[in-house]
Amino acid sequence: MSESTIESGLQEKRVFYPSAEFSSQAQVKSLDEYQQLYDRAQADPQTFWAELAEQELHWFQPWHTVLDWQPPFAQWFVGGQTNVSYNCLDRHLTTWRRNKAALIWEGEPGDSRTLTYAQLHREVCQFANALKQLGVGKGDVVGIYMPMIPEAAIAMLACARIGAPHSVVFGGFSAEAVRDRLADGKAKLVVTADGGWRKDAIVPLKTQVDRAIADGAVPTVENVLVVRRTGQDIDMQPGRDHWWHDLQPTVSADCPAEPMDSEDVLFVLYTSGSTGKPKGVVHTTAGYNLYAHMTTKWIFDLQDTDVYWCTADVGWITGHSYIVYGPLSNGATSVMYEGAPRPSNPGCFWDVVEKYGVTIFYTAPTAIRAFIKMGSDLPQARDLSSLRLLGTVGEPINPEAWMWYHTVIGKERCPIVDTWWQTETGGVMITPLPGATPTKPGSATRPLPGILADVVDLDGNSVPDNEGGYLVVRHPWPGMMRTVYGDPDRFRRTYWEHIPPKDGRYLYFAGDGARRDEDGYFWVMGRVDDVINVAGHRLGTMEIESALVSHPAVAEAAVVGRPDEVKGNEIVAFVTLESDQEPTEELAKALKKHVGQEIGAIARPGDIRFSDALPKTRSGKIMRRLLRSIASGQEVSGDTSTLEDRSVLDKLRGGA
Ligand code: WT7
């Protein structure tokens, strides 16, 4: 855990109430109604979730035990059988939704495609049959390294259909990062594309896969299924690599969904922690499905006419839960956009809203801050009158950005849901309900029904109102991660032992600092471990340090975050060089590039600072608190008495 203390932040006094019009038509219409749900769930969580599971999902076989809790290992709906792909597709086909748009996709170059539920179902069945033909069966892990095209969602749903856990790797990760993740998951097949569009350039995805699995680096991979997207020439290795467009005409569109046990693994998704390599977060079938379904329904207040758009990438949990599984399980229309605001098209998001009449828009604070910089003219020149609800996710939103979102995008009409959650939680945990909860700019407000969140000290005792502490959850919930893939001990240590268990009481430790105000509203302050949130992406300092140290010129490295106006944080790396190396501009550039190659462009340090030595305690621990102050140009304050060599500090300060 980091040595930084949690500060209580400024008090934000503004409160915004949902309009009577919005509330009267909402799923949850008032704070009273929310409170009743909350109290009912708290009094008897198992009955609460069981009733919803029965009402909201299709089951091939009912469960016999709602929750089996062997701390910290939970099993939900034990004995039951269901299928996530069935819940997202098949069950809508016998209703009017059969011909409703399931996915509306817009490509970066301006091409587009709409798939109705019936069409999506057909393609998923074909894709599932192609996977089977290539030897994938129940329990085999499938890597998915794709651009934001419909086939990414199709591949995920096809895996879910046949019970093959997917492991989606964000298309912005490097070949090395792909290799580590495929190897850890022992993937049997990889789904990829020839390339993807990203900011007017082609990302050579297939070439990266070739590199990742070259020389038997991931011996479990037998086949690579390639979707044509960008059309450039790529190498296809006979026997191993297969074009989707060659297979599609040869496979049947008949593929019944495999009944899956509630606790069968649905997917693994890697995320950065404070130590070592990324963790494979494991989510299972029924609990995850129910949680993604319910949270989508409550938070986005889905109505049949909504056009819902979450701007995340399917490579992150937000894309899993709130582009694919949550919306489709609810029979909603989900917009998928390949592009990103870029110099050639800074207004593209607002064009998409206008073109499709988007009613619900869910994005990240970092994007909102970038929009503010680009100017209000861009959104003001588009017709955004279809919007009725706005959301944010991924990092704390500063009140200024919240107010801009509220006035310029929401025209003071749309509730804003600031949703706090994590890869590990499967779905949103703390959030306003748009028709019920008065909002305060910068607060994620209150926990959802069934979520017993708290702010505690290191002994697990609740701290008084408005005092900083650690964000924890006191009771298991259906969407929680079940384990770290292949490493249950790491799961226990990372999430359940930071706050030592006591008398059978286990607290889920989120790794965030927070305070709760006198209205019970949560204010999440950010990570308290060695994780840096850069533009809503979560990066482990250790991973970046390892990447730096793997460069031959580097002797030692320490990475910290520095506040950044748009990205939230910027990565600053302090580097000591091998004795035969000179600190030059070129070397700094080369090191940034090296990190990009080792992990991906999102992990590239914004600033490399060379120094002769790093500040360490007498026991040899790098004092990051000092480095953080130096990186952000602040006076070094607080206790420096454990610093081993004071002259190091003076030198660093002089250099900064
Ligand atoms: C971390 C989780 C969950 C989707 C995207 C990120 C930070 C997330 C908020 C919010 C303040 C937030 C936390 C959390 N975070 N949402 N609304 N307010 N902080 O998922 O990569 O697993 O990162 O993102 O620090 O622990 P993730």
Side-chain angles (χ1 to χ4, degrees), residues 269-272 281 312 316-319 322 362 364-365 392-397 417-428 430-431 442-444 471 508 510-513 522-529 531-533 536-539:
L269 184 60
Y270 288 81
T271 192
S272 298
V281 171
W316 308 112
I317 190 71
T318 311
Y322 298 113
Y362 188 34
T392 80
V393 58
E395 51 184 319
I397 181 164
V417 290
D418 172 356
T419 61
W420 177 86
W421 60 298
Q422 313 178 291
T423 307
E424 293 88 339
T425 67
V428 173
I430 304 179
T431 177
S443 171
L471 185 53
Y508 169 80
D512 279 321
F522 284 74
W523 299 77
V524 178
M525 258 102 68
R527 303 293 308 192
V528 292
D529 51 8
V531 168
I532 309 178
N533 192 323
H537 298 314
R538 181 169 154 181
L539 297 160

Side-chain angles (χ1 to χ4, degrees), residues 350-461:
W350 317 122
D351 288 336
V352 171
V353 170
E354 183 176 278
K355 177 170 176 187
Y356 296 108
V358 170
T359 58
I360 304 168
F361 179 69
Y362 188 34
T363 196
T366 188
I368 297 168
R369 292 191 295 264
F371 293 138
I372 297 175
K373 284 218 144 171
M374 290 185 247
S376 303
D377 301 358
L378 292 166
Q380 267 154 6
R382 272 81 174 179
D383 178 5
L384 306 183
S385 59
S386 56
L387 289 172
R388 68 179 195 93
L389 173 55
L390 305 174
T392 80
V393 58
E395 51 184 319
I397 181 164
N398 46 313
E400 300 70 40
W402 197 101
M403 287 306 299
W404 185 89
Y405 202 29
H406 173 68
T407 46
V408 179
I409 305 303
K411 317 283 186 217
E412 298 180 12
R413 204 170 34 73
C414 305
I416 295 179
V417 290
D418 172 356
T419 61
W420 177 86
W421 60 298
Q422 313 178 291
T423 307
E424 293 88 339
T425 67
V428 173
M429 303 286 280
I430 304 179
T431 177
L433 293 183
T437 318
T439 49
K440 305 184 190 183
S443 171
T445 78
R446 300 225 200 155
L448 284 172
I451 302 305
L452 306 186
D454 200 356
V455 181
V456 301
D457 60 21
L458 277 178
D459 295 324
N461 301 315

Side-chain angles (χ1 to χ4, degrees), residues 9 44 91 114 128 198 485 594 641:
D44 184 357
R91 63 169 166 164
T114 297
R198 190 172 295 272
Y485 193 75
H594 179 72
S641 59

